[in-house]
């Protein structure tokens, strides 16, 4: 499944890297294929997560934000 | 449609790692979202490097300046979100949403894809800021954040 590019990095106006966003905490990281960085795939959200233990449980960040907004009234 | 604004600071020393170099502060009524980050330096070129974090913060910043966000469409009203630059106390850094490192000679820019913006927590004094996470040798940096609310 294709991974969604969630941001682009430019250095001196030249595109140098892409970023990916964790579907569970909303963090971005600079994506470097072959770097050895581990990440997971959420079958429920259909997107990658940052593989921190707290992000291995499906809890989409957008849902958290919506819940927060509801709580604020 | 969301309104877009920019907030900038120039000549900001990146020596401190605890308080925001540049940031925006939302409120309980508005949730700003950063979609573009620019960092550069106009200091005399040198091979120094600095790491930056874009992170959420809580608590009201003290010290520094409060740059006024400028609407990208001149006829838009003033933003509800406020700016902060060069803070020296008050706020507490929390979740880091993006990290990157920049050589002083380079200009760095990060642009979010639509729907992947960095979202501020809803609440009084909740902010999204650029923090230094360490410089080989401190230098003065120029920064800009584009956000929508």
């Amino acid at each position: 499944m294709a991974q969604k590019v969630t941001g682009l990095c430019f250095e001196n106006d030249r595109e140098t890297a892409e970023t990916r966003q964790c579907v569970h905490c909303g963090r971005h990281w600079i994506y470097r294929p072959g770097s050895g960085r581990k990440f997971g795939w959420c079958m429920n959200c259909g997107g990658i997560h940052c593989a921190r233990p707290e992000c291995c449980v499906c809890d989409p960040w957008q849902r958290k934000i919506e819940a927060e907004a509801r709580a604020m009234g | 449609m969301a309104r877009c604004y920019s907030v900038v600071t120039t000549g900001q020393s990146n020596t401190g790692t605890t308080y925001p170099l540049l940031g925006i502060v939302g409120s309980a009524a508005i949730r700003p979202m950063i979609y573009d980050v620019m960092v550069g330096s106009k200091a005399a070129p040198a091979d120094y490097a600095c790491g930056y974090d874009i992170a959420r913060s809580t608590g009201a910043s003290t010290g520094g300046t409060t740059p006024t966000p400028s609407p990208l469409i001149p006829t838009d009203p003033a933003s509800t979100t406020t700016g902060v630059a060069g803070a020296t106390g008050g706020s507490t850094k929390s979740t880091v949403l993006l990290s990157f490192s920049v050589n002083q000679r380079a200009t760095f820019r990060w642009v979010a894809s639509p729907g992947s913006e960095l979202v501020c927590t809803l609440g009084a004094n909740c902010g999204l800021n650029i923090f230094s996470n360490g410089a080989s040798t401190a230098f003065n940096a120029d920064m800009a954040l584009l956000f929508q609310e």
Side-chain angles (χ1 to χ4, degrees), chain A residues 4-13 16 19 21 25-30 61-62 65-66 68-69 72, chain B residues 28 31 95-100 105-119 121-123:
Chain A
K4 189 181 164 201
V5 176
T6 58
L8 293 174
C9 297
F10 298 86
E11 235 178 85
N12 298 333
D13 289 336
T16 52
T19 57
Q21 185 178 29
C25 68
R27 290 168 200 239
H28 287 256
W29 68 89
I30 294 175
W61 68 271
Q62 279 154 328
I65 285 186
E66 283 160 15
E68 188 184 72
M72 296 297 288
Chain B
R31 188 204 308 277
T95 311
V96 175
L97 294 173
L98 175 69
S99 291
F100 54 88
R105 294 176 191 268
T107 300
F108 178 88
R109 184 177 182 206
W110 175 81
V111 186
S113 300
S116 297
E117 296 86 358
L118 305 174
V119 184
T121 308
L122 198 62

Side-chain angles (χ1 to χ4, degrees), chain B residues 14-41:
Chain B
N14 51 24
T15 185
T17 58
T18 313
Y19 300 111
L21 302 177
L22 176 67
I24 55 172
V25 184
S27 71
I30 201 91
R31 188 204 308 277
M33 297 188 287
I34 293 175
Y35 64 90
D36 202 325
V37 177
M38 285 165 269
V39 177
S41 175

Side-chain angles (χ1 to χ4, degrees), chain B residues 68-85:
Chain B
T68 304
S70 305
L72 298 193
I73 298 173
T75 50
D76 275 352
S79 68
T80 305
T81 303
T82 55
V84 59

